[in-house]
Amino acid sequence: MDDEPLKDWAERRDEKIGRLRAVPMVPGDGPRASHLHPDAPRAIERWNGHTWEPYGFAADLAEAKAILYPESSQPPPPASVPKPLGSGTGKHRKPPAPR
């Protein structure tokens, strides 16, 4: 058998501690995928290394995504301003070359 060392397994398991997930709070045993019930409230759960434990609450999918992915809620960096085209009438005009 090709078993991995226990140390490697423990490191992989510990990397996941603190991971968050959002679970839709919908009645019944039906599908719980986020895209099926975007307006349903979400329970935010945190992995403690052994089980998922309650961590927080979100009113809908958008709020849950803001909690799970805070880096994506920051505005993107400003786009660079394109250089103006040179004079002329061509479809494939290029900006003037630097001197």
Side-chain angles (χ1 to χ4, degrees):
M1 261 188 180
D2 294 331
D3 289 336
E4 70 177 314
L6 184 59
K7 178 183 158 226
D8 294 344
W9 174 82
E11 286 175 1
R12 274 192 309 112
R13 184 197 66 194
D14 291 345
E15 287 174 0
K16 297 176 185 176
I17 293 176
R19 182 176 290 177
L20 299 176
R21 75 175 182 181
V23 180
M25 298 171 58
V26 294
D29 292 333
R32 295 168 52 137
S34 63
H35 68 282
L36 297 178
H37 304 285
D39 295 329
R42 300 313 199 248
I44 307 296
E45 297 177 339
R46 181 181 175 273
W47 182 250
N48 67 8
H50 301 285
T51 187
W52 291 99
E53 61 186 11
Y55 180 77
F57 180 79
D60 58 7
L61 179 60
E63 187 177 329
K65 284 185 176 182
I67 294 169
L68 297 177
Y69 311 109
E71 64 277 354
S72 66
S73 64
Q74 298 173 355
S80 61
V81 178
K83 296 179 182 177
L85 296 175
S87 63
T89 60
K91 182 176 178 183
H92 304 286
R93 294 181 290 163
K94 295 182 180 179
R99 294 182 184 181

